[in-house]
Amino acid sequence: MPYINIYGTNIVYDRWGRGPLRVLLARRAADWDGCGWPEGHEYIAIDLPGYGRSQGAAGLQDDELAEYVLGMLVMLHATEAEIYAHPNAAGVGEYLSERIGVAVQALADCSPPD
């Protein structure tokens, strides 16, 4: 179970596959289970602080969660990755896009884009 410590909080993530990197943004990495993402890519799915296996207080606002995600992207050398936001993390994705300038594609469900 890999993790990175950001701002004193251990953030757990899953990493699998080989190929161009895609980051799957949801409250819990497990929210992507069974969604049918294709082979041929490397994936990183993060348990946001306070969710899943990660430490942290529940109830952080989307802008606060986005700061953790940005830290993860930098530390994992994933700032150029394709990023997809699950509906349960759409606000975090919007904050990353609008305020920080990171391109995030919002999804209607957990299925891969066409």
Side-chain angles (χ1 to χ4, degrees):
M1 174 172 66
Y3 70 90
I4 291 181
N5 188 284
I6 298 179
Y7 307 127
T9 301
N10 290 334
I11 309 298
V12 178
Y13 64 96
D14 294 331
R15 190 173 203 155
W16 71 95
R18 298 225 182 266
L21 183 59
R22 289 180 166 177
V23 174
L24 305 179
L25 180 58
R27 300 285 173 174
R28 299 174 312 125
D31 293 336
W32 299 103
D33 290 352
C35 294
W37 286 79
E39 293 184 17
H41 291 275
E42 180 179 9
Y43 297 97
I44 294 174
I46 303 167
D47 279 340
L48 295 177
Y51 296 93
R53 301 160 295 170
S54 289
Q55 297 175 334
L60 294 176
Q61 299 299 310
D62 289 342
D63 61 331
E64 296 169 305
L65 293 171
E67 293 296 332
Y68 283 96
V69 172
L70 185 60
M72 293 286 294
L73 294 175
V74 170
M75 293 182 80
L76 293 170
H77 307 286
T79 56
E80 300 296 318
E82 294 177 13
I83 304 173
Y84 298 92
H86 190 283
N88 71 20
V92 178
E94 287 175 23
Y95 186 86
L96 286 169
S97 291
E98 294 172 7
R99 301 286 202 153
I100 301 174
V102 175
V104 178
Q105 183 174 343
L107 301 174
D109 57 26
C110 72
S111 301
D114 295 329

mmCIF file of all heavy atoms in Angstrom, residues 15-35:
data_model
loop_
_atom_site.group_PDB
_atom_site.id
_atom_site.type_symbol
_atom_site.label_atom_id
_atom_site.label_comp_id
_atom_site.label_asym_id
_atom_site.label_seq_id
_atom_site.Cartn_x
_atom_site.Cartn_y
_atom_site.Cartn_z
ATOM 1 N N ARG A 15 -1.508 2.187 -7.643
ATOM 2 C CA ARG A 15 -0.830 2.435 -8.921
ATOM 3 C C ARG A 15 -0.753 1.105 -9.657
ATOM 4 O O ARG A 15 -0.303 0.115 -9.083
ATOM 5 C CB ARG A 15 0.561 2.993 -8.655
ATOM 6 C CG ARG A 15 1.261 3.506 -9.875
ATOM 7 C CD ARG A 15 2.565 4.208 -9.496
ATOM 8 N NE ARG A 15 2.926 5.116 -10.553
ATOM 9 C CZ ARG A 15 3.666 6.184 -10.396
ATOM 10 N NH1 ARG A 15 4.139 6.492 -9.203
ATOM 11 N NH2 ARG A 15 3.948 6.959 -11.419
ATOM 12 N N TRP A 16 -1.188 1.081 -10.916
ATOM 13 C CA TRP A 16 -1.161 -0.158 -11.688
ATOM 14 C C TRP A 16 -1.057 0.159 -13.179
ATOM 15 O O TRP A 16 -1.302 1.282 -13.599
ATOM 16 C CB TRP A 16 -2.402 -1.000 -11.391
ATOM 17 C CG TRP A 16 -3.685 -0.454 -11.950
ATOM 18 C CD1 TRP A 16 -4.277 -0.793 -13.145
ATOM 19 C CD2 TRP A 16 -4.548 0.520 -11.355
ATOM 20 N NE1 TRP A 16 -5.442 -0.077 -13.313
ATOM 21 C CE2 TRP A 16 -5.633 0.724 -12.231
ATOM 22 C CE3 TRP A 16 -4.499 1.255 -10.164
ATOM 23 C CZ2 TRP A 16 -6.656 1.628 -11.960
ATOM 24 C CZ3 TRP A 16 -5.521 2.148 -9.901
ATOM 25 C CH2 TRP A 16 -6.587 2.319 -10.775
ATOM 26 N N GLY A 17 -0.704 -0.870 -13.940
ATOM 27 C CA GLY A 17 -0.643 -0.766 -15.390
ATOM 28 C C GLY A 17 0.674 -0.210 -15.904
ATOM 29 O O GLY A 17 1.557 0.179 -15.142
ATOM 30 N N ARG A 18 0.776 -0.188 -17.227
ATOM 31 C CA ARG A 18 1.953 0.343 -17.919
ATOM 32 C C ARG A 18 1.487 1.150 -19.116
ATOM 33 O O ARG A 18 0.540 0.775 -19.790
ATOM 34 C CB ARG A 18 2.850 -0.776 -18.406
ATOM 35 C CG ARG A 18 3.414 -1.624 -17.290
ATOM 36 C CD ARG A 18 4.898 -1.876 -17.523
ATOM 37 N NE ARG A 18 5.449 -2.729 -16.498
ATOM 38 C CZ ARG A 18 6.047 -2.261 -15.414
ATOM 39 N NH1 ARG A 18 6.132 -0.981 -15.216
ATOM 40 N NH2 ARG A 18 6.552 -3.081 -14.525
ATOM 41 N N GLY A 19 2.180 2.258 -19.360
ATOM 42 C CA GLY A 19 1.852 3.104 -20.500
ATOM 43 C C GLY A 19 1.735 4.551 -20.063
ATOM 44 O O GLY A 19 2.171 4.919 -18.965
ATOM 45 N N PRO A 20 1.128 5.389 -20.911
ATOM 46 C CA PRO A 20 0.941 6.795 -20.541
ATOM 47 C C PRO A 20 0.143 6.905 -19.235
ATOM 48 O O PRO A 20 -0.790 6.136 -18.999
ATOM 49 C CB PRO A 20 0.154 7.377 -21.719
ATOM 50 C CG PRO A 20 0.414 6.442 -22.858
ATOM 51 C CD PRO A 20 0.612 5.090 -22.246
ATOM 52 N N LEU A 21 0.515 7.865 -18.416
ATOM 53 C CA LEU A 21 -0.063 7.988 -17.072
ATOM 54 C C LEU A 21 -1.416 8.687 -17.085
ATOM 55 O O LEU A 21 -1.605 9.710 -17.736
ATOM 56 C CB LEU A 21 0.906 8.764 -16.177
ATOM 57 C CG LEU A 21 0.499 8.941 -14.717
ATOM 58 C CD1 LEU A 21 0.304 7.595 -14.037
ATOM 59 C CD2 LEU A 21 1.554 9.753 -13.992
ATOM 60 N N ARG A 22 -2.339 8.114 -16.329
ATOM 61 C CA ARG A 22 -3.644 8.713 -16.063
ATOM 62 C C ARG A 22 -3.859 8.729 -14.552
ATOM 63 O O ARG A 22 -3.603 7.744 -13.872
ATOM 64 C CB ARG A 22 -4.768 7.898 -16.706
ATOM 65 C CG ARG A 22 -4.798 7.992 -18.204
ATOM 66 C CD ARG A 22 -5.929 7.158 -18.760
ATOM 67 N NE ARG A 22 -6.164 7.499 -20.158
ATOM 68 C CZ ARG A 22 -7.053 6.884 -20.917
ATOM 69 N NH1 ARG A 22 -7.792 5.905 -20.432
ATOM 70 N NH2 ARG A 22 -7.211 7.249 -22.175
ATOM 71 N N VAL A 23 -4.338 9.849 -14.041
ATOM 72 C CA VAL A 23 -4.676 9.976 -12.623
ATOM 73 C C VAL A 23 -6.197 9.955 -12.515
ATOM 74 O O VAL A 23 -6.885 10.712 -13.199
ATOM 75 C CB VAL A 23 -4.096 11.267 -12.012
ATOM 76 C CG1 VAL A 23 -4.578 11.455 -10.587
ATOM 77 C CG2 VAL A 23 -2.578 11.247 -12.072
ATOM 78 N N LEU A 24 -6.700 9.066 -11.662
ATOM 79 C CA LEU A 24 -8.139 8.917 -11.450
ATOM 80 C C LEU A 24 -8.473 9.549 -10.100
ATOM 81 O O LEU A 24 -8.043 9.079 -9.052
ATOM 82 C CB LEU A 24 -8.535 7.442 -11.484
ATOM 83 C CG LEU A 24 -8.115 6.682 -12.755
ATOM 84 C CD1 LEU A 24 -8.530 5.232 -12.655
ATOM 85 C CD2 LEU A 24 -8.690 7.342 -13.999
ATOM 86 N N LEU A 25 -9.228 10.629 -10.143
ATOM 87 C CA LEU A 25 -9.524 11.423 -8.958
ATOM 88 C C LEU A 25 -10.926 11.109 -8.450
ATOM 89 O O LEU A 25 -11.915 11.339 -9.152
ATOM 90 C CB LEU A 25 -9.410 12.905 -9.321
ATOM 91 C CG LEU A 25 -9.679 13.936 -8.239
ATOM 92 C CD1 LEU A 25 -8.742 13.730 -7.065
ATOM 93 C CD2 LEU A 25 -9.521 15.331 -8.821
ATOM 94 N N ALA A 26 -11.010 10.534 -7.254
ATOM 95 C CA ALA A 26 -12.277 10.242 -6.581
ATOM 96 C C ALA A 26 -12.024 10.367 -5.079
ATOM 97 O O ALA A 26 -10.883 10.527 -4.649
ATOM 98 C CB ALA A 26 -12.777 8.841 -6.923
ATOM 99 N N ARG A 27 -13.073 10.323 -4.285
ATOM 100 C CA ARG A 27 -12.874 10.394 -2.826
ATOM 101 C C ARG A 27 -12.045 9.211 -2.343
ATOM 102 O O ARG A 27 -11.179 9.352 -1.498
ATOM 103 C CB ARG A 27 -14.217 10.426 -2.099
ATOM 104 C CG ARG A 27 -15.093 11.600 -2.480
ATOM 105 C CD ARG A 27 -14.613 12.871 -1.869
ATOM 106 N NE ARG A 27 -15.376 14.006 -2.393
ATOM 107 C CZ ARG A 27 -15.270 15.223 -1.970
ATOM 108 N NH1 ARG A 27 -14.436 15.514 -0.997
ATOM 109 N NH2 ARG A 27 -15.970 16.188 -2.503
ATOM 110 N N ARG A 28 -12.334 8.020 -2.887
ATOM 111 C CA ARG A 28 -11.615 6.799 -2.521
ATOM 112 C C ARG A 28 -11.120 6.120 -3.797
ATOM 113 O O ARG A 28 -11.851 6.076 -4.792
ATOM 114 C CB ARG A 28 -12.528 5.826 -1.772
ATOM 115 C CG ARG A 28 -13.092 6.351 -0.469
ATOM 116 C CD ARG A 28 -14.106 5.399 0.162
ATOM 117 N NE ARG A 28 -15.091 4.933 -0.805
ATOM 118 C CZ ARG A 28 -15.338 3.643 -1.060
ATOM 119 N NH1 ARG A 28 -14.689 2.699 -0.433
ATOM 120 N NH2 ARG A 28 -16.240 3.311 -1.961
ATOM 121 N N ALA A 29 -9.924 5.575 -3.762
ATOM 122 C CA ALA A 29 -9.402 4.853 -4.919
ATOM 123 C C ALA A 29 -10.347 3.716 -5.310
ATOM 124 O O ALA A 29 -10.537 3.435 -6.495
ATOM 125 C CB ALA A 29 -8.003 4.316 -4.616
ATOM 126 N N ALA A 30 -10.974 3.086 -4.327
ATOM 127 C CA ALA A 30 -11.882 1.966 -4.587
ATOM 128 C C ALA A 30 -13.121 2.380 -5.391
ATOM 129 O O ALA A 30 -13.806 1.526 -5.949
ATOM 130 C CB ALA A 30 -12.306 1.316 -3.273
ATOM 131 N N ASP A 31 -13.399 3.684 -5.477
ATOM 132 C CA ASP A 31 -14.540 4.144 -6.273
ATOM 133 C C ASP A 31 -14.352 3.824 -7.749
ATOM 134 O O ASP A 31 -15.318 3.885 -8.521
ATOM 135 C CB ASP A 31 -14.752 5.648 -6.097
ATOM 136 C CG ASP A 31 -15.200 6.015 -4.693
ATOM 137 O OD1 ASP A 31 -15.770 5.152 -3.998
ATOM 138 O OD2 ASP A 31 -14.962 7.166 -4.283
ATOM 139 N N TRP A 32 -13.131 3.496 -8.170
ATOM 140 C CA TRP A 32 -12.852 3.157 -9.567
ATOM 141 C C TRP A 32 -12.904 1.667 -9.828
ATOM 142 O O TRP A 32 -12.800 1.247 -10.976
ATOM 143 C CB TRP A 32 -11.482 3.705 -9.968
ATOM 144 C CG TRP A 32 -11.405 5.188 -9.868
ATOM 145 C CD1 TRP A 32 -10.796 5.912 -8.889
ATOM 146 C CD2 TRP A 32 -11.968 6.143 -10.771
ATOM 147 N NE1 TRP A 32 -10.944 7.261 -9.129
ATOM 148 C CE2 TRP A 32 -11.659 7.426 -10.280
ATOM 149 C CE3 TRP A 32 -12.709 6.042 -11.949
ATOM 150 C CZ2 TRP A 32 -12.059 8.593 -10.918
ATOM 151 C CZ3 TRP A 32 -13.107 7.198 -12.592
ATOM 152 C CH2 TRP A 32 -12.785 8.456 -12.083
ATOM 153 N N ASP A 33 -13.046 0.847 -8.775
ATOM 154 C CA ASP A 33 -13.083 -0.609 -8.951
ATOM 155 C C ASP A 33 -14.227 -1.016 -9.875
ATOM 156 O O ASP A 33 -15.352 -0.543 -9.735
ATOM 157 C CB ASP A 33 -13.251 -1.317 -7.600
ATOM 158 C CG ASP A 33 -12.014 -1.209 -6.723
ATOM 159 O OD1 ASP A 33 -10.969 -0.726 -7.208
ATOM 160 O OD2 ASP A 33 -12.103 -1.604 -5.544
ATOM 161 N N GLY A 34 -13.928 -1.888 -10.817
ATOM 162 C CA GLY A 34 -14.950 -2.422 -11.709
ATOM 163 C C GLY A 34 -15.434 -1.471 -12.779
ATOM 164 O O GLY A 34 -16.464 -1.718 -13.407
ATOM 165 N N CYS A 35 -14.707 -0.394 -13.022
ATOM 166 C CA CYS A 35 -15.158 0.617 -13.987
ATOM 167 C C CYS A 35 -14.678 0.355 -15.406
ATOM 168 O O CYS A 35 -15.080 1.063 -16.325
ATOM 169 C CB CYS A 35 -14.734 2.006 -13.528
ATOM 170 S SG CYS A 35 -15.567 2.512 -12.007
#
